[in-house]
């Protein structure tokens, strides 16, 4: 989205308080994500009452009227029109930086929400009508100079009973291989050493490309063979898509970060079935054990949900035992949140919030122990780490190949792969020094 505005002559403001337009890209995967978005809108309006607040993303797609009713919101642009966001916004600016050539807005679906004082346009249409993915690299603000994130897949054809994402992201669709290789080569030419490839259901990449039927493994192999990228990092991939071939590819290439993220959600077979997940606990266990056997030093992360409707103590105990027994190095623990329009939201036996919080804390504590043990196991070892842009006055922030935070003494130029010897560990990061080897 930033690229859209830059190509039309606008510059990024240093702070939201200085901007003429503030774009908020929202999430709606949980109720707390919706609350965070509303709080952000209030904060921007308070700090910069004269700006246009444009709300896009999944919350905007799911509940556009609700978002448009929030004080200060100027435009609501759903995921369906996110690729035309700058074209929608620029004509409304007081002094557009560039006249440009815009796609006619008559091609958009505009629903007006009348109020007593103004009209706040809503640009939302059926997300399932989209069969093509338009994407560009995204730069995390904290790592803007080092680790661009390239979305190669969007949407999801799964129908997990708790998940609202398919209804706001649409059907699974892939960025064509040629486009991906072009983007990666452009990033390499610009000096980037690591690229993270991501998607809503990344392992399904290529299944919709009728002109060039392909699998996710083919994409990974093509990046290795047809680009000079130093390090490819793969984001979350569903358990059923961790094929033996993909595991071998990762284990056999030093150019792929030793980092896997495999959503688990629950260790209970009964709960997984109620969730409409496409694997059983024994399938999941087998995948994790294969990954660890092939990559003994890899980071292995998972998403785990507690408090799903009907989750009994026995179900939670199965999840806890699986977390204890498997070689996870970190977890993302989520408390179930009813999402409008999902089957799980109407199920009986909703778990009391206080019990769900207790279960969440049990898993968070367990994950913390595992993460600390994993970090400590590398003290005295030499690791590959990329320097990030953060510097606290004494240490440069780094990220190791296997997804550990590392603090390197003194200030170092960002976006450099270094061999670093870990000398000690605190509760959150390794402390290291540059190694000659």
């Amino acid at each position: 989205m930033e690229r859209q505005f830059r190509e039309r002559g606008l510059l990024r403001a240093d702070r939201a308080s200085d901007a003429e337009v503030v774009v908020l890209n929202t999430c709606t995967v949980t109720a707390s994500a919706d609350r965070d978005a509303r709080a952000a809108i209030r904060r921007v309006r308070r700090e910069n009452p004269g700006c246009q607040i444009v709300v896009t993303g999944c919350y905007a797609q799911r509940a556009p009227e609700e978002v448009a009713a929030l004080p200060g919101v100027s435009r609501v642009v759903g995921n369906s029109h996110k690729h035309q966001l700058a074209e929608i916004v620029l004509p409304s600016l007081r002094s557009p930086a560039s006249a440009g050539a815009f796609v006619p807005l008559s091609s958009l679906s505009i629903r007006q929400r009348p109020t007593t004082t103004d009209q706040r346009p809503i640009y939302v249409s059926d997300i399932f009508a989209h069969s093509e993915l338009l994407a560009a690299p995204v730069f995390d603000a904290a790592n803007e100079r080092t680790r661009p994130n390239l979305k190669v897949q969007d949407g999801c054809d799964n129908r997990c009973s708790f998940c609202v994402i398919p209804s706001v992201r649409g059907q699974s669709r892939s960025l064509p291989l040629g486009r991906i290789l072009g983007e990666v080569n452009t990033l390499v030419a610009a000096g980037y050493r690591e690229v993270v490839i991501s998607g809503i259901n990344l392992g399904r990449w290529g299944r919709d490309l009728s002109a060039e039927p392909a699998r996710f493994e083919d994409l990974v192999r093509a990046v290795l063979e047809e680009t000079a990228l130093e390090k490819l990092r793969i984001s979350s991939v569903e358990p059923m898509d961790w094929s033996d071939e993909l595991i071998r590819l990762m284990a056999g290439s030093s150019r792929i970060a030793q980092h896997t993220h495999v959503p688990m959600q629950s260790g209970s077979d009964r709960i997984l079935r109620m969730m409409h997940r496409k694997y059983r606990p024994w399938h999941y266990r087998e995948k994790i054990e294969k990954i660890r056997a092939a990559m003994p030093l890899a980071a292995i992360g998972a998403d785990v949900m507690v408090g799903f409707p009907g989750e009994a103590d026995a179900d939670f105990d199965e999840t806890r035992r699986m977390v204890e027994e498997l070689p996870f190095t970190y977890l993302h623990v989520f408390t179930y949140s009813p999402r409008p329009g999902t089957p799980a939201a109407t199920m009986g036996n909703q778990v009391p919030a206080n019990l769900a919080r207790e279960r969440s804390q049990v898993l968070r504590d367990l994950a913390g122990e595992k993460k600390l043990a994993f970090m400590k196991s590398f003290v005295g070892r030499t690791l590959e780490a990329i320097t990030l842009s953060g510097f606290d006055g004494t240490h440069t922030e780094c990220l190791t190949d296997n997804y550990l935070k590392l603090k390197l003494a003194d200030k170092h130029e960002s976006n450099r792969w270094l061999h670093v010897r870990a000398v000690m560990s605190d509760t959150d990061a390794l402390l290291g020094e540059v190694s000659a080897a």
Side-chain angles (χ1 to χ4, degrees), residues 306-322:
V306 299
F308 185 83
E311 182 187 62
D313 288 343
D315 298 309
F316 175 69
D317 284 343
E318 289 184 78
T319 299
R320 179 184 52 76
R321 284 199 301 274
M322 183 170 279

Side-chain angles (χ1 to χ4, degrees), residues 2 6 10-22 47-48 141 144-145:
E2 181 179 340
R6 284 186 181 276
L10 273 73
L11 298 177
R12 176 177 173 176
D14 292 332
R15 297 179 298 275
S17 58
D18 297 333
E20 187 172 357
V21 177
V22 176
E47 295 175 354
N48 189 352
E144 190 165 343
R145 295 251 177 242

Side-chain angles (χ1 to χ4, degrees), residues 88-142:
I88 292 169
V89 174
L90 259 64
S92 66
L93 295 184
R94 292 187 296 273
S95 53
S98 172
F102 303 121
V103 172
L105 292 185
S106 59
S107 66
L108 303 182
S109 167
I110 305 175
R111 303 210 306 270
Q112 298 284 0
R113 187 193 71 83
T115 70
T116 56
T117 58
D118 62 356
Q119 301 279 328
R120 299 180 187 177
I122 294 173
Y123 300 83
V124 176
S125 65
D126 180 9
I127 193 67
F128 287 96
H130 290 251
S131 59
E132 183 181 2
L133 171 60
L134 301 171
V138 174
F139 295 81
D140 180 357

Side-chain angles (χ1 to χ4, degrees), residues 292-401:
R292 176 52 79 222
M295 294 176 279
L297 304 182
I300 303 178
D303 302 321
V304 184
M305 181 181 292
V306 299
F308 185 83
E311 182 187 62
D313 288 343
D315 298 309
F316 175 69
D317 284 343
E318 289 184 78
T319 299
R320 179 184 52 76
R321 284 199 301 274
M322 183 170 279
V323 170
E324 285 179 341
E325 294 167 1
L326 290 178
F328 294 121
T329 63
Y330 70 93
L331 291 182
H332 294 161
V333 181
F334 297 88
T335 301
Y336 168 75
S337 177
R339 297 283 72 203
T342 61
T346 60
M347 289 180 179
N349 298 319
Q350 298 283 327
V351 176
N354 62 328
L355 180 57
R357 283 194 296 269
E358 290 174 8
R359 291 173 177 173
S360 176
Q361 192 58 53
V362 168
L363 294 187
R364 290 178 194 277
D365 290 344
L366 183 55
E369 294 171 7
K370 284 179 167 281
K371 178 181 176 182
L372 186 59
F374 184 62
M375 281 198 303
K376 287 183 175 179
S377 72
F378 290 97
V379 173
R381 297 191 187 206
T382 298
L383 298 164
E384 273 192 292
I386 191 168
T387 53
L388 307 180
S389 54
F391 179 64
D392 63 6
T394 57
H395 293 89
T396 297
E397 182 183 357
C398 304
L399 185 71
T400 69
D401 176 90

Side-chain angles (χ1 to χ4, degrees), residues 223-242:
V223 171
L224 295 178
E225 293 176 353
E226 299 184 41
T227 79
L229 180 66
E230 292 182 33
K231 191 74 68 174
L232 173 69
R233 193 175 296 269
I234 298 171
S235 62
S236 181
V237 174
E238 289 286 324
M240 50 277 196
D241 294 323
W242 281 99

Side-chain angles (χ1 to χ4, degrees), residues 88-266:
I88 292 169
V89 174
L90 259 64
S92 66
L93 295 184
R94 292 187 296 273
S95 53
S98 172
F102 303 121
V103 172
L105 292 185
S106 59
S107 66
L108 303 182
S109 167
I110 305 175
R111 303 210 306 270
Q112 298 284 0
R113 187 193 71 83
T115 70
T116 56
T117 58
D118 62 356
Q119 301 279 328
R120 299 180 187 177
I122 294 173
Y123 300 83
V124 176
S125 65
D126 180 9
I127 193 67
F128 287 96
H130 290 251
S131 59
E132 183 181 2
L133 171 60
L134 301 171
V138 174
F139 295 81
D140 180 357
N143 303 316
E144 190 165 343
R145 295 251 177 242
T146 52
R147 305 175 61 244
N149 186 312
L150 178 61
K151 183 172 71 173
V152 301
Q153 185 276 339
D154 202 354
C156 186
D157 295 333
N158 296 334
R159 292 297 180 267
C160 298
S161 63
F162 58 84
C163 188
V164 74
I165 294 304
S167 67
V168 295
R169 290 283 189 170
Q171 63 188 333
S172 179
R173 51 205 188 278
S174 307
L175 198 64
L177 182 58
R179 283 280 312 281
I180 296 170
L181 296 177
E183 292 282 10
V184 172
N185 280 320
T186 297
L187 291 168
V188 170
Y192 293 99
R193 268 70 186 283
E194 176 181 317
V195 173
V196 185
I197 54 171
S198 65
I200 295 297
N201 192 353
L202 182 59
R204 298 279 98 179
W205 177 88
R207 307 296 176 99
D208 59 306
L209 297 176
S210 56
E212 46 173 311
R215 303 164 304 148
F216 181 60
E217 294 88 338
D218 300 323
L219 165 59
V220 174
R221 188 177 291 106
V223 171
L224 295 178
E225 293 176 353
E226 299 184 41
T227 79
L229 180 66
E230 292 182 33
K231 191 74 68 174
L232 173 69
R233 193 175 296 269
I234 298 171
S235 62
S236 181
V237 174
E238 289 286 324
M240 50 277 196
D241 294 323
W242 281 99
S243 66
D244 290 350
E245 182 182 354
L246 178 58
I247 295 171
R248 283 196 300 271
L249 261 175
M250 288 192 66
S253 175
S254 61
R255 292 172 60 202
I256 305 178
Q258 299 289 283
H259 172 201
T260 67
H261 190 93
V262 192
M264 170 180 156
Q265 306 305 355
S266 177

